[in-house]
Amino acid sequence: MNNAILFYFDMNVSDVKKINGNYYFNYFNSDYVVHLYKRDVYEIMEIYYVNLELLNNGFAGYEIMLTKNNDIVFLYEKEYYVLMRLPSIKNRMITFDDVLGFDFAYNTKINKLDKSNWANNWSFKIDFIENQFEQVRGKYNIISSSIDYFIGIWENAISYYNDNVKGNGRKCICHNRVYYDMDLLEFVNPLNFVVDYKERDVGEYLKSYVMNNNFTKESVDKFLVCNSKESVCTLISRLLFPSYYFDVYEDIVVNNRSEDDISDIVLRRNNVIYVVYLLSLKYSNFNVPIINWIKKEISLQGLI
């Protein structure tokens, strides 16, 4: 990697450390990372301009560095990488206030980063996963016995979204994924940025929290933050989308992760639907539709 950095950036560095597939080094008292780029290459131009706009508005984040030929990505050992200057911030675990406070509009013309067409995106992804899993069904016993349930939840998310979300919510810079135990440096990493409704980040943080922690109705209430019926219905749709299951599923099928890692998700599957019920109950004054099967399931579990 030292030679690649010299070739693409004219930066002569010696002490380069590889950590989790990325390369870190210091150059003239600034810290840099050569970050593996895993997203579609066609998105990188918009990521770069969003990042530039945020920095120009005082955002304390990474700075994407161009190669000497003004390219954003470069090829190294058949993989794409991006060089970025690290921000001068103290790293720590993010909080829910960080998620709410990350609220940046944008002026850059964006099409490829816009992920707000949830129903179409989800329908396409379900079809892909169903076809994919049929090829390997006999190899994974835990997934074989649980995937139909989570596909059913996902289809509920699509139906609920189509029936109740008008799609007129405010869009802003969001993240592909947000986790309750994510560190701040990863949270401000522009390679994780997308454009979507704010409920995307709130929903992903909340799902991660309740799937990995013991919680009560009172402790989770502070996360149920909405200001309109549209916002509530959008957040319910996002919560119903079982990203927590299918992200792990994909890692198992594609990257050979242990299938045992999905067992706890299956066991804790009622956690998220309980939160959906609490959200519907909290904002009943907005006449938010309550999903009958969820109310029935929660009642059978003795939670109401």
Side-chain angles (χ1 to χ4, degrees):
M1 180 56 78
N2 302 53
N3 290 333
I5 295 170
L6 178 61
F7 178 79
Y8 286 108
F9 299 94
D10 284 335
M11 299 169 71
N12 192 0
V13 298
S14 56
D15 188 17
V16 179
K17 297 177 181 178
K18 185 177 182 181
I19 304 173
N20 297 326
N22 302 316
Y23 299 84
Y24 295 83
F25 64 92
N26 184 275
Y27 185 72
F28 284 96
N29 298 318
S30 291
D31 292 319
Y32 292 83
V33 58
V34 179
H35 203 294
L36 183 64
Y37 184 75
K38 299 179 181 179
R39 294 174 62 166
D40 289 326
V41 175
Y42 71 83
E43 294 180 330
I44 190 61
M45 185 65 74
E46 291 186 0
I47 291 173
Y48 173 74
Y49 282 116
V50 165
N51 177 243
L52 192 62
E53 183 178 334
L54 290 178
L55 292 175
N56 288 338
N57 284 289
F59 175 65
Y62 292 66
E63 180 185 358
I64 296 176
M65 313 298 294
L66 299 179
T67 71
K68 61 186 181 182
N69 293 324
N70 290 321
D71 294 320
I72 304 169
V73 298
F74 67 93
L75 200 59
Y76 175 72
E77 294 185 347
K78 300 181 180 180
E79 299 277 10
Y80 284 112
Y81 287 87
V82 177
L83 175 64
M84 297 184 288
R85 194 198 318 262
L86 293 170
S88 299
I89 58 176
K90 185 177 180 180
N91 204 14
R92 57 173 173 77
M93 187 184 297
I94 64 168
T95 66
F96 187 61
D97 286 339
D98 291 319
V99 176
L100 290 181
F102 192 91
D103 189 16
F104 297 97
Y106 57 92
N107 295 314
T108 303
K109 184 178 180 181
I110 292 173
N111 295 310
K112 298 178 179 66
L113 292 186
D114 191 331
K115 310 298 180 183
S116 63
N117 195 345
W118 294 356
N120 284 353
N121 294 343
W122 290 345
S123 295
F124 176 82
K125 189 68 173 180
I126 286 177
D127 289 343
F128 173 81
I129 287 174
E130 287 179 325
N131 291 329
Q132 178 191 56
F133 192 65
E134 282 306 311
Q135 310 303 316
V136 295
R137 181 176 285 273
K139 186 178 177 181
Y140 302 102
N141 293 329
I142 300 172
I143 297 176
S144 294
S145 63
S146 60
I147 192 170
D148 289 341
Y149 170 84
F150 287 98
I151 285 178
I153 295 287
W154 202 347
E155 290 172 339
N156 266 249
I158 295 171
S159 297
Y160 192 89
Y161 180 88
N162 285 334
D163 291 343
N164 300 290
V165 177
K166 297 177 181 179
N168 57 11
R170 175 178 170 269
K171 296 178 187 179
C172 59
I173 306 301
C174 295
H175 302 77
N176 185 48
R177 288 289 184 270
V178 175
Y179 306 103
Y180 84 97
D181 57 351
M182 179 181 259
D183 66 54
L184 186 60
L185 278 173
E186 184 59 22
F187 186 68
V188 299
N189 186 339
L191 302 186
N192 194 27
F193 290 172
V194 297
V195 170
D196 211 332
Y197 304 117
K198 185 64 182 178
E199 288 78 14
R200 179 190 186 107
D201 278 3
V202 173
E204 293 302 320
Y205 181 95
L206 183 50
K207 283 183 288 187
S208 172
Y209 179 83
V210 301
M211 290 301 292
N212 291 281
N213 294 279
N214 294 322
F215 67 94
T216 63
K217 175 182 176 181
E218 291 72 26
S219 67
V220 83
D221 182 73
K222 62 184 178 182
F223 301 131
L224 307 181
V225 180
C226 298
N227 56 18
S228 66
K229 181 177 180 179
E230 177 78 0
S231 177
V232 178
C233 293
T234 305
L235 182 54
I236 287 175
S237 302
R238 194 72 204 183
L239 290 172
L240 286 173
F241 164 46
S243 52
Y244 51 90
Y245 179 91
F246 285 101
D247 285 352
V248 177
Y249 156 87
E250 187 171 3
D251 215 14
I252 292 168
V253 173
V254 176
N255 299 320
N256 296 315
R257 180 174 175 177
S258 172
E259 190 188 12
D260 292 338
D261 290 346
I262 212 164
S263 297
D264 284 344
I265 294 172
V266 176
L267 291 174
R268 298 171 71 90
R269 63 185 180 273
N270 285 329
N271 287 18
V272 173
I273 65 171
Y274 179 49
V275 173
V276 170
Y277 173 74
L278 292 178
L279 181 61
S280 303
L281 203 62
K282 181 175 181 176
Y283 292 100
S284 58
N285 59 308
F286 286 148
N287 295 317
V288 174
I290 293 179
I291 303 171
N292 289 329
W293 74 264
I294 288 182
K295 184 176 181 181
K296 181 179 180 181
E297 182 68 22
I298 295 303
S299 179
L300 289 173
Q301 295 295 322
L303 296 173
I304 59 174

